[in-house]
């Protein structure tokens, strides 16, 4: 949703400026945790409940977090609760992560494999992919048996598909033409 992204952008940028001045990795972990908690349906119900004050909503939300919460983070959550924007945290977290990757010259790489791959194989694959995409990659691996064999890699809006399924689809298109 473009509208959510537009609303979340200033929050993510402000939060990133605060985080960049401190411990960026700690903030990244905290923002990820807040985004996960905010995605829960109970948080939406809490945020939408007119009987619960904004301060109480922020307190309840903060009490669910396991990570240590800084005064800046408390203020941020209180401001989101006051504006009825707690449910924007997943989008804020996604945009925060993009800003962090941009600063570090990195990107997320989603690797889909037909079979389980070992950490050593992932490391080898990432080394090759980092040369191809000319940046550091943060891999996440998902097993997708429908690929039949091979891997499919998504980095941003670029896709590298070397799966058997993709090759079969290309052959089908060639034969049907």
């Amino acid at each position: 949703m473009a509208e959510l992204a537009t609303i979340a952008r200033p929050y993510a940028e402000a939060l990133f400026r605060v985080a960049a001045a401190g411990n960026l990795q700690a903030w990244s972990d905290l923002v990820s945790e807040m985004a996960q908690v905010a995605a829960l349906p109970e948080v939406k119900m809490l945020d939408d409940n007119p009987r619960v004050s904004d301060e109480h909503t922020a307190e309840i939300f903060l009490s669910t977090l396991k990570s240590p919460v800084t005064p800046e983070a408390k203020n941020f959550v209180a401001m989101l609760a006051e504006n009825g924007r707690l449910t924007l945290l997943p989008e804020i977290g996604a945009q925060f992560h993009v800003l962090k990757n941009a600063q570090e010259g990195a990107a997320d790489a989603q690797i889909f494999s037909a079979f389980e791959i070992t950490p050593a194989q992932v490391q080898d694959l990432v080394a090759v992919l980092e040369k191809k995409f000319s940046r550091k990659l943060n891999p996440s691996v998902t097993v997708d048996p429908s690929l039949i064999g091979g891997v499919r890699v998504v980095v941003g809006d670029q896709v590298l598909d070397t799966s058997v399924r993709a090759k079969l689809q290309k052959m089908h298109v060639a034969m049907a033409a």
Side-chain angles (χ1 to χ4, degrees):
M1 285 185 145
E3 184 177 317
L4 287 180
T6 303
I7 295 169
R9 184 172 298 111
Y11 292 110
E13 289 171 350
L15 189 59
F16 183 76
R17 282 192 300 273
V18 170
N23 184 344
L24 187 57
Q25 187 56 50
W27 271 99
S28 179
D29 295 342
L30 178 61
V31 170
S32 295
E33 183 181 356
M34 288 192 303
Q36 288 176 343
V37 172
L40 298 172
E42 295 84 0
V43 172
K44 176 152 178 50
M45 288 180 358
L46 179 68
D47 198 33
D48 292 342
N49 190 338
R51 294 183 182 165
V52 181
S53 70
D54 297 336
E55 296 82 19
H56 194 61
T57 300
E59 286 175 27
I60 292 170
F61 182 83
L62 290 168
S63 71
T64 64
L65 302 176
K66 294 179 182 176
S67 300
V69 181
T70 63
E72 294 91 350
K74 287 180 183 177
N75 289 341
F76 184 73
V77 169
M79 187 239 345
L80 289 175
E82 184 179 309
N83 293 314
R85 304 266 197 228
L86 269 180
T87 55
L88 272 181
L89 269 166
E91 181 62 30
I92 292 169
Q95 290 189 26
F96 180 92
H97 190 68
V98 167
L99 292 168
K100 179 179 176 276
N101 278 347
Q103 180 175 328
E104 295 173 346
D108 291 331
Q110 296 174 311
I111 301 170
F112 300 93
S113 174
F115 304 101
E116 288 285 336
I117 53 179
T118 66
Q121 290 171 320
V122 171
Q123 188 176 13
D124 292 343
L125 179 59
V126 168
V128 171
L129 292 171
E130 285 178 344
K131 289 178 186 172
K132 176 166 181 49
F133 291 104
S134 302
R135 62 185 119 164
K136 183 183 178 320
L137 298 177
N138 304 317
S140 65
V141 180
T142 305
V143 176
D144 182 0
S146 71
L147 295 178
I148 305 169
V151 294
R152 180 174 186 263
V153 180
V154 179
V155 177
D157 61 354
Q158 296 178 305
V159 177
L160 176 65
D161 197 343
T162 63
S163 68
V164 173
R165 181 180 69 188
K167 290 176 184 176
L168 288 172
Q169 287 173 341
K170 285 180 187 175
M171 286 176 32
H172 174 72
V173 169
M175 292 176 72

